[in-house]
Amino acid sequence: MDGFLKLVLTVSVVLTGVRNQADCSSLSLRRVSNAKVSGFSWKNCGQSDDPAVMMSLSLSPDPISIPGTLTASASGSTTVPLEAQLSLNVTMEKEVARIWVKIPCVEEIGSCHYRDVCDLLNQVIPPGPDCPEPLHTCGLPCHCPFKAGSYSLPKSDFYVPYMDLPFWLTNGNYRVQGVLGSGGKELGCLQVTLSIES
């Protein structure tokens, strides 16, 4: 999976608030069960000459139940290697009275700047001999560096477990934009919109 597909994973991690217990202890988290995520859509939001682009991304069913199983497929490409010191600028907004309001960065959740996506990936997927399934079977890498080229994840099922979310990250329409960069240069941009109901 190329770095831009990993951007989707990283945005998902930011959305779900996945952190270890020490990092979450001061957040007002609540256990989310029987939540529904619906209206998922995405688009590339970068320049036409950005080297990293998402070519397809599909999640089903609609709505997605939490906890529950979702089916995902994706493809993307990068014309440059994606190596250490990849940065990620995330802008998260919630629709309030038909106005998009920016959610500030609170303990690494919200509109945050992540200096090292490669390190973040190592926290989410601890380095080891093999990447987790279905990445391993599909021959997709899960850690930096990512070689230039095209990557594809065929339709695969994933289980979404119960999760803890900040109290403010429920019941509403959300828009999340992630800009991947390196050395001050934009490499790619992805925007995701969805609704959460719990």
Side-chain angles (χ1 to χ4, degrees), residues 146-163:
F146 301 97
K147 296 178 181 178
S150 296
Y151 297 85
S152 179
L153 175 70
K155 278 189 176 181
S156 303
D157 291 337
F158 298 88
Y159 179 73
V160 182
Y162 289 98
M163 59 184 66

Side-chain angles (χ1 to χ4, degrees), residues 100-173:
W100 288 103
V101 177
K102 185 176 178 180
I103 297 171
C105 184
V106 179
E107 298 198 27
E108 297 188 36
I109 300 175
S111 300
C112 302
H113 173 74
Y114 302 93
R115 293 184 181 198
D116 191 345
V117 173
C118 296
D119 181 59
L120 184 59
L121 290 176
N122 289 339
Q123 293 176 38
V124 174
I125 305 173
D130 295 320
C131 291
E133 294 297 342
L135 304 182
H136 177 68
T137 298
C138 296
L140 299 173
C142 56
H143 296 285
C144 298
F146 301 97
K147 296 178 181 178
S150 296
Y151 297 85
S152 179
L153 175 70
K155 278 189 176 181
S156 303
D157 291 337
F158 298 88
Y159 179 73
V160 182
Y162 289 98
M163 59 184 66
D164 294 324
L165 293 179
F167 70 93
W168 46 262
L169 193 57
T170 53
N171 292 325
N173 299 323

Side-chain angles (χ1 to χ4, degrees), residues 167-185:
F167 70 93
W168 46 262
L169 193 57
T170 53
N171 292 325
N173 299 323
Y174 294 89
R175 183 167 64 188
V176 182
Q177 178 173 294
V179 178
L180 190 67
S182 180
K185 181 180 179 183

Side-chain angles (χ1 to χ4, degrees), residues 8 11-12 15 37-43 57-64 73 190-195:
V8 175
V11 169
S12 299
L15 277 175
V37 176
S38 61
F40 175 85
S41 65
W42 67 277
K43 67 178 182 178
L57 176 60
S58 174
L59 300 179
S60 63
D62 187 7
I64 297 165
S73 63
L190 184 73
Q191 185 180 92
V192 171
T193 57
L194 52 82
S195 298

Side-chain angles (χ1 to χ4, degrees), residues 5 34 87 91 158 180 186:
L5 293 181
N34 301 321
S87 65
T91 302
F158 298 88
L180 190 67
E186 180 178 308

Side-chain angles (χ1 to χ4, degrees), residues 11 18 25 30 46 48 79 84 89 151:
V11 169
V18 173
S25 59
R30 65 185 189 89
S48 60
T79 58
N89 280 313
Y151 297 85

Side-chain angles (χ1 to χ4, degrees), residues 71-101:
T71 301
S73 63
S75 64
S77 66
T78 178
T79 58
V80 299
L82 302 176
E83 302 171 321
Q85 298 304 312
L86 290 173
S87 65
L88 177 63
N89 280 313
V90 174
T91 302
M92 183 183 293
E93 298 170 301
K94 182 175 183 177
E95 188 176 24
V96 179
R98 298 185 181 177
I99 297 171
W100 288 103
V101 177

